[in-house]
């Protein structure tokens, strides 16, 4: 659907539960073996190569001996355990964590009437669809949020929130909670964040019922299944994607994916976002950004790939993470097939060809075609 907030060109509403069920079907149809409740906990490396990966399964530790490893753990867990180098600013410049929640039982008529009567409360450029539309995005509620804080009902001061509504279903997905993060994931910090965020969800749900028109009978129908981490470790790779690359629409001979989302950086200290810079032309992502300096048989993809803080604010978005992860998977298969290391695929002509055959968008030219 067109993004009526004007932030991006389009948004893709999803029913999260059916999406999860569909993904399970895709995995089965593709013959993917799934290990559940089996986090990777240890890596043994020698001479800059990963020899074994160990998983903590309910039956005890399981060890595998991989030729090539793809790390899409978000937090770069494999790279961390294998002592890869990380971007120097990872720890002190990190976005806050959040927990999204879904409210059901929303009456959209008063909710939309309020938005139309108070356009100053919302992001400039917002277009308010009428209640006959199926979906709506709203970004704002500035004075209602500030009032909730002044009244003491909301401990967290926010001056904006994003809500995505599915009108015929009476459902709203709300992005407003936040908790500061140091970017060094550990079990205790994640546990503390989870408890703080759950408390915030309850406080915001109560505030919605009392203060947001159309929400008097709303209830929490779903929450994210884990703490939502926007940013943590970012590896240091053979190329680091920079803010300049993202802003200027960089192109690379070894490009394996494209991005185009605005640089979207939430602040841990301020009640809003610290950056919402437009990315006018889009940008390419080099295969070298998926290659950590060491170990040599590791690829990283998703939000932990080699990028600076600002560039990460754009490439961390789901579609771009899908694209870089697909490229890393195809590269790993090619490297295993050839019996070579991932870096030996450079300048990446065969990889790019394989991605194009799969319908991937790997250059700005094809993205604009
Ligand atoms: C609050 C919030 C709102 C967002 N809103 C949007 C949005 O509206 N649109 C959008 O496109 N993007 C959005 N994003 C961004 C996007 O969801 C993430 O950046 C993206 O999912 C990152 O993908 P990833 O695959 O790199 O990491 P993740 O999605 O974090 O996936 C990593 C996976 O690895 C698993 N894992 C971690 N460690 C281990 C281990 N040791 N062993 C085994 N498995 C492990 C994790 O459980 C997880 O399943 C949002 C993010 C947040 C936090």
């Amino acid at each position: 659907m067109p993004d009526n907030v004007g932030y991006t060109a389009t948004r893709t509403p999803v029913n999260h539960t059916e999406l999860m069920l569909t993904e399970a079907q895709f995995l089965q149809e593709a013959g993917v073996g799934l290990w559940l409740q089996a986090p990777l906990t240890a890596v043994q490396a020698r001479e800059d190569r990963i020899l074994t990966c160990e998983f903590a399964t309910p039956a005890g530790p399981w060890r595998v001996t991989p030729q090539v490893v793809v790390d899409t753990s978000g937090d770069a867990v494999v790279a961390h355990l294998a002592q890869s180098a990380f971007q120097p600013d990872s720890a002190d410049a990190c976005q806050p964590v959040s927990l999204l929640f879904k409210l059901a039982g929303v009456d959209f008529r008063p909710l939309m009437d309020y938005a139309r009567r108070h356009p100053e409360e919302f992001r400039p450029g917002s277009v308010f669809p009428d209640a006959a539309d199926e979906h709506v995005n709203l970004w704002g509620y500035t004075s209602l949020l500030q009032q909730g804080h002044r009244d003491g009902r909301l401990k967290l001061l926010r001056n904006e929130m994003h809500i995505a509504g599915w009108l015929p279903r009476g459902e709203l997905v709300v992005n407003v909670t936040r908790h500061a993060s140091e970017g060094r994931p550990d079990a205790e910090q994640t546990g503390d964040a989870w408890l703080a965020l759950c408390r915030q969800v309850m406080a915001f749900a109560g505030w919605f019922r009392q203060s947001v028109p159309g929400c008097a009978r709303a209830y929490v129908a779903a929450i994210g299944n884990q703490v939502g981490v926007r940013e943590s470790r970012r590896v240091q790779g053979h190329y680091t994607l920079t803010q300049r690359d993202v802003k200027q629409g960089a192109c690379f001979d070894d490009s394996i994916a494209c991005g185009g989302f605005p640089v979207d950086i939430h602040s841990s200290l301020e009640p809003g976002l610290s950056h919402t810079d437009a990315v006018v032309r889009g940008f390419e992502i080099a295969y070298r950004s998926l290659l950590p300096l060491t170990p040599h048989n590791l690829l990283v993809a998703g939000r932990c790939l080699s990028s600076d803080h600002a560039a990460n604010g754009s490439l961390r978005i789901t579609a771009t993470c899908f694209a870089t992860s697909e490229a890393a998977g195809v590269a790993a298969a090619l490297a295993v097939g050839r019996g070579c290391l991932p870096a030996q695929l450079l300048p990446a002509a065969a990889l790019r060809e394989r991605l194009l055959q799969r319908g991937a968008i790997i250059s700005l030219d094809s993205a604009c075609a």
Side-chain angles (χ1 to χ4, degrees):
M1 60 170 289
D3 179 8
N4 55 285
V5 164
Y7 193 45
T8 56
T10 59
R11 286 187 177 264
T12 309
V14 290
N15 175 315
H16 301 89
T17 311
E18 287 182 20
L19 176 65
M20 196 167 68
L21 297 170
T22 307
E23 285 168 347
Q25 284 176 15
F26 283 174
L27 288 175
Q28 204 176 21
E29 284 160 18
V32 174
L34 193 60
W35 292 5
L36 286 181
Q37 299 175 335
L40 176 128
T41 50
V43 163
Q44 194 195 1
R46 197 179 313 135
E47 290 171 4
D48 290 335
R49 290 214 192 183
I50 295 174
L51 299 180
T52 61
C53 292
E54 191 172 300
F55 298 82
T57 81
W62 276 13
R63 231 170 254 130
V64 296
T65 310
Q67 289 179 58
V68 175
V69 181
V70 177
D71 184 347
T72 54
S73 63
D75 295 331
V77 175
V78 185
H80 169 66
L81 293 172
Q83 300 187 340
S84 300
F86 289 92
Q87 298 293 331
D89 62 350
S90 290
D92 49 354
C94 193
Q95 298 206 45
V97 297
S98 296
L99 184 60
L100 297 194
F101 59 97
K102 184 191 282 180
L103 291 178
V106 175
D107 179 354
F108 276 93
R109 207 167 285 276
L111 187 128
M112 295 303 298
D113 282 349
Y114 178 86
R116 257 181 244 106
R117 277 188 282 112
H118 298 278
E120 73 287 353
E121 287 267 290
F122 296 90
R123 193 180 158 80
S126 293
V127 176
F128 304 113
D130 59 56
D133 281 303
E134 203 168 345
H135 300 284
V136 63
N137 288 283
L138 294 172
W139 184 335
Y141 288 103
T142 310
S143 59
L144 281 189
L145 284 162
Q146 288 171 345
Q147 186 63 44
H149 182 67
R150 275 197 298 276
D151 293 348
R153 267 175 288 152
L154 295 176
K155 277 205 181 126
L156 181 72
L157 172 61
R158 293 296 322 264
N159 61 13
E160 59 186 2
M161 64 175 171
H162 178 262
I163 61 179
W166 199 313
L167 279 65
R169 299 182 182 187
E171 289 177 356
L172 273 185
V173 175
V174 186
N175 187 347
V176 68
T177 64
R178 81 173 28 163
H179 185 79
S181 162
E182 288 176 18
R184 296 185 207 91
D186 74 35
E188 194 178 3
Q189 275 181 30
T190 309
D192 288 349
W194 177 256
L195 297 179
L197 291 167
C198 287
R199 186 171 283 274
Q200 285 183 27
V201 171
M202 291 298 276
F204 275 107
W207 170 79
F208 261 94
R209 283 190 284 269
Q210 281 189 316
S211 307
V212 180
C215 296
R217 298 166 72 85
Y219 61 95
V220 179
I223 57 173
N225 62 1
Q226 56 188 21
V227 171
V229 179
R230 293 188 172 84
E231 179 186 13
S232 60
R233 303 183 191 102
R234 285 171 275 112
V235 302
Q236 215 162 51
H238 286 263
Y239 184 81
T240 296
L241 191 79
T242 64
Q243 179 174 24
R244 189 184 155 92
D245 293 334
V246 166
K247 281 196 161 177
Q248 297 191 346
C251 296
F252 301 100
D253 289 343
D254 60 334
S255 166
I256 45 75
C258 293
F261 198 77
V263 174
D264 179 279
I265 300 184
H266 295 239
S267 169
S268 291
L269 305 171
E270 304 295 325
L273 269 71
S274 60
H275 294 62
T276 53
D277 304 340
V279 170
V280 179
R281 197 173 110 82
F283 56 92
E284 295 180 354
I285 300 172
Y287 176 53
R288 285 163 295 153
S289 298
L290 312 188
L291 298 174
L293 299 177
T294 62
H296 300 308
N297 58 345
L298 178 63
L299 288 147
V300 292
R303 62 180 165 80
C304 52
L305 63 74
S306 182
S307 52
D308 71 17
H309 172 60
N312 202 265
S314 171
L315 69 82
R316 70 185 182 86
I317 214 70
T318 314
T320 316
C321 290
F322 283 170
T324 55
S325 301
E326 179 180 1
V330 172
L334 273 178
V336 169
R338 292 178 177 195
C340 71
L341 292 169
Q344 290 169 326
L345 295 177
L346 283 167
L351 170 60
R352 283 164 52 84
E353 198 183 315
R354 188 68 65 89
L355 288 168
L356 285 173
Q357 283 164 3
R358 294 169 58 89
I361 299 169
I362 62 169
S363 70
L364 288 184
D365 292 344
S366 56
C368 299

